Amino acid sequence: MMAIGLRPLHDAHGVEVQGVDLAKDLDDATFARILDAHHRYGLVLLRDQKITPGQHIAFSRRFGELEIHVLNQYLLPGHPEVLVLSNRVENGKQKGVPNGGWIWHSDLAYMKRPSLGSLLYAHEVPDEGGDTLYAGMHAALEGLSPAIRKQIAGRSAVHSYAWYYAKLDQRAPLTEEQKAKTPPVEHPIERTHPVTGRKALYVFEAFCDEIPGMPQDEARALLAELFAHSVKPDYVYAHRWLPGDILFWDNRCTMHRATPYDQQKYHRTMHRTTVTGDVPF
């Protein structure tokens, strides 16, 4: 077993797992410690990694089946399990998803079975800007007032990828096939983690604009209050990327957003694998 250490990243969530080299065979005992850290902290950081796409995929598969993203034009050639995020343009075409994730979200929350988690591997990062912010949604839910907890108890929210995508620029419109694969879905506002049993707030600015059974203006006001509350500094960890970083976050109890950087001056290229999840409850 590898001798590993744990360093907290933030009071609310997140831990750096030290002493792991994913280019080497990872024994079951070491993997079990990483998995336990993922469940306990919701966000796991591994630094100084030098791995191939195949190794990235193999490590990710130890957590479960992998998703193939609906934006197939941005999948890594020869490795469809890897979604490329990049502002690079090659031969007149975007190399990866441009301007990805600048609105608070949880990956694939707009699907009936949202992803368990995502593993993002940094290949090139800007010298300044381009951080990713992560909000701990267990702590955010637990920090709500009793009155708000009562208001959201038993309610669901609608998550819509088409609604989100329509707000973006610099992207080709969704095809009819892509729209058909991502119809609006309802998920509980309070989501129970299937492993720990701990509840988390599960609404996101990117996808949610409706609460079934509630007037639209009232729903929007409540959602806006929940969005603002969940991104208070008490709940948010800001990650400054370095090449070789891998961050594995639990989409069931965290949300995240990218931050801007000078795209005329810098390039940013990341590879993401996504682990299939379960139906929220």
Side-chain angles (χ1 to χ4, degrees), residues 56-69 81-82 117 119 273-276:
H56 184 182
I57 292 168
F59 175 61
S60 304
R61 279 204 175 116
R62 296 187 71 166
F63 297 96
E65 180 184 351
L66 299 187
E67 300 274 0
I68 306 299
H69 201 280
E81 302 88 348
V82 176
L119 296 93
T273 52
T274 304
V275 184
T276 300

Side-chain angles (χ1 to χ4, degrees), residues 6 8 10 12-15 36-44 253-254:
L6 301 178
H10 189 271
H13 67 141
V15 66
D36 178 67
H38 183 252
H39 291 151
R40 288 172 58 195
Y41 297 99
L43 178 67
V44 169
C253 59
T254 67

Side-chain angles (χ1 to χ4, degrees), residues 89-228:
V89 177
E90 295 181 354
N91 300 318
K93 293 184 178 180
Q94 286 286 158
K95 181 178 179 180
V97 179
N99 301 331
W102 287 7
I103 306 175
W104 283 104
H105 66 287
S106 176
D107 295 322
L108 304 187
Y110 49 83
M111 302 295 286
K112 183 177 180 180
R113 291 179 60 197
S115 67
L116 179 154
S118 300
L119 296 93
L120 192 60
Y121 180 30
H123 283 259
E124 59 178 345
V125 299
D127 292 339
E128 52 188 355
D131 296 358
T132 303
L133 309 180
Y134 294 89
M137 302 300 271
H138 285 315
L141 179 67
E142 292 161 3
L144 287 172
S145 69
I148 296 295
R149 289 293 296 269
K150 183 177 180 180
Q151 194 174 3
I152 65 176
R155 289 193 174 275
S156 62
V158 175
H159 299 244
S160 172
Y161 188 55
W163 182 76
Y164 160 72
Y165 208 86
K167 297 183 288 184
L168 304 177
D169 56 10
Q170 300 184 30
R171 292 199 197 180
L174 291 174
T175 66
E176 291 305 313
E177 181 182 5
Q178 289 169 333
K179 290 178 183 178
K181 290 180 178 179
T182 56
V185 296
E186 291 184 27
H187 294 312
I189 294 176
E190 293 187 5
R191 181 176 182 176
T192 303
H193 196 286
V195 177
T196 67
R198 193 177 176 189
K199 290 185 179 294
L201 188 61
Y202 198 72
V203 289
F204 313 107
E205 182 182 6
F207 308 132
C208 299
D209 186 50
E210 181 182 349
I211 297 176
M214 184 177 289
Q216 184 77 328
D217 57 346
E218 185 178 339
R220 285 178 173 170
L222 176 57
L223 287 169
E225 186 172 359
L226 294 174
F227 299 152

